Amino acid sequence: MHTEIMSLNVGPQHPSTHGVLRLVVDMDGEYVIKVTPHMGYLHTGFEKTFEHRTYQQGVTYAPRTDYLHSFGHELAYVLGVEKLMQAEVPERATTVRVILHELGRIHSHLVFLGTALMDLGAITLFFYCFREKEAVQDLFEEVCGYRMNQGYFRVGGLSRDIPDGWTDNVQKFVDTFDKHVDEYASMFATNPIFLDRAVGVGVIPADVAIDLGLTGPNLRASGVPLDHRKANPYCGFETYDFNVPVSQAGDSQARFVLRLDELRESAKIVRQALKRLKPGPVKDPNRKISLPPRQELETSMEAVIHHFKLVTEGFHPPIGEVYVPVETARGEVGYYIISDGGSMPYRVKIRAPSFVNLQALEYACVGGQFADLITVLATIDPVLGDVDR
């Protein structure tokens, strides 16, 4: 029987592509036979921009690479530069970074759960997830003045200390958060319509996931227990007690539920970090890296010189190259930075997980129906936060 192949454009206007992705889908009747992603609708040229800014100015651009887990990108960038500079980050600054890093993961997963279910036609969970999402953004705004694209970290520590009472507000949030996660699960985890749409749909075996370069929840949902907080610890994560959720199913349901479990683990890490947060400095004391305190400028000519040099020129890392992997909500993020000894990077290349994760889209969709494609896209990465950079 002769059939004619039909090519459909899905996105960038389609709601499930969120304006940043176009898919050319070849259909044989109701079944998908080919999927070709077209990226670039949110391309910003950040990698090249990094190369024309001082290392400290680069902190402004890192969070904009992923507007949902922006602290993850900030952290990956500053850890890379700190490795070049051999900077000494104070313990208090490191602990605050852990708190914000995990709150950022919670923030991103809440948007994932709400928008992914909405892509499938279930609207209610969106409102519940965004209730807590707004609470997390309130905490971000309280600590640094911005709800998104914070730019709060600095090479050597933080831009400033956390405000009084902030840790109490964080504690109140995490104390009630597990109850809210149970509430989310009750809305979809056993829903027969969701299960029909997700169980056995878009299966990605472990060996294929590794070959395609998947990381983060998508890789762990296929049975590979790689989490860089455990495998390549940073910020002292090896001293925290938390589990890495893993599933062997590799289907769309596993990718949903695994992120739900990760919400609980992130809240557990935040509770531990709050207990170990101690008073102390939040910047590297090295005046060739961190700006001197403002009061020193009135009494020390040396402080004025350091301030002038850092603001007008920046610091000069030694010649070398560096890459530090960080586990963000979407997977492995890393900034490959080459220094030629100048005040600006010679080359910056961002390892953005959304971009890599999309490689699995065709494998997971071919042979399924069009509705399955929407489910797979929603569970691999519904927001595509850092697909372009």
Side-chain angles (χ1 to χ4, degrees), residues 4 16 23 26 46 108 115 121 128 163 197 300 304 313 338 362 365 379 383:
E4 185 174 334
S16 69
L23 302 175
D26 292 345
F46 281 154
S108 181
T115 57
Y128 282 78
R197 295 285 304 271
S300 170
V304 173
E313 185 179 340
I338 299 178
E362 183 170 41
C365 291
T379 57
V383 186

Side-chain angles (χ1 to χ4, degrees), residues 123-135:
I123 298 175
T124 305
L125 186 62
F126 176 87
F127 299 108
Y128 282 78
C129 288
F130 267 57
R131 176 187 61 190
E132 275 67 64
K133 169 191 174 293
E134 290 297 311

Side-chain angles (χ1 to χ4, degrees), residues 196-250:
D196 285 345
R197 295 285 304 271
V199 174
V201 174
V203 176
I204 305 173
D207 57 337
V208 175
I210 293 171
D211 290 344
L212 292 173
L214 297 189
T215 55
N218 293 323
L219 180 64
R220 294 190 287 274
S222 294
V224 183
L226 175 65
D227 187 318
H228 287 290
R229 293 172 296 177
K230 296 276 192 180
N232 300 290
Y234 54 93
C235 291
F237 269 109
E238 67 275 16
T239 65
Y240 288 84
D241 177 26
F242 67 99
N243 299 315
V244 177
V246 180
S247 172
Q248 303 298 324

Side-chain angles (χ1 to χ4, degrees), residues 35 41 45 76 87 142 165 193 204 314 330:
V35 179
Y41 292 89
E142 186 180 351
I193 298 176
I204 305 173
R330 254 162 284 289

Side-chain angles (χ1 to χ4, degrees), residues 100-123:
L100 291 171
H101 186 39
E102 294 306 313
L103 287 176
R105 191 185 316 278
I106 290 172
H107 175 258
S108 181
H109 281 351
L110 288 173
V111 176
F112 169 91
L113 292 169
T115 57
L117 264 293
M118 189 165 62
D119 289 343
L120 302 186
I123 298 175

Side-chain angles (χ1 to χ4, degrees), residues 56 59-60 74 78 82 89 97 150-160 283:
Q56 207 68 279
V59 175
T60 301
E74 277 188 51
V78 297
E82 286 164 0
V89 182
R97 286 179 175 183
Q150 289 84 11
Y152 176 63
F153 297 162
R154 290 291 183 273
V155 178
L158 309 173
S159 63
R160 56 189 177 275
K283 295 181 181 180

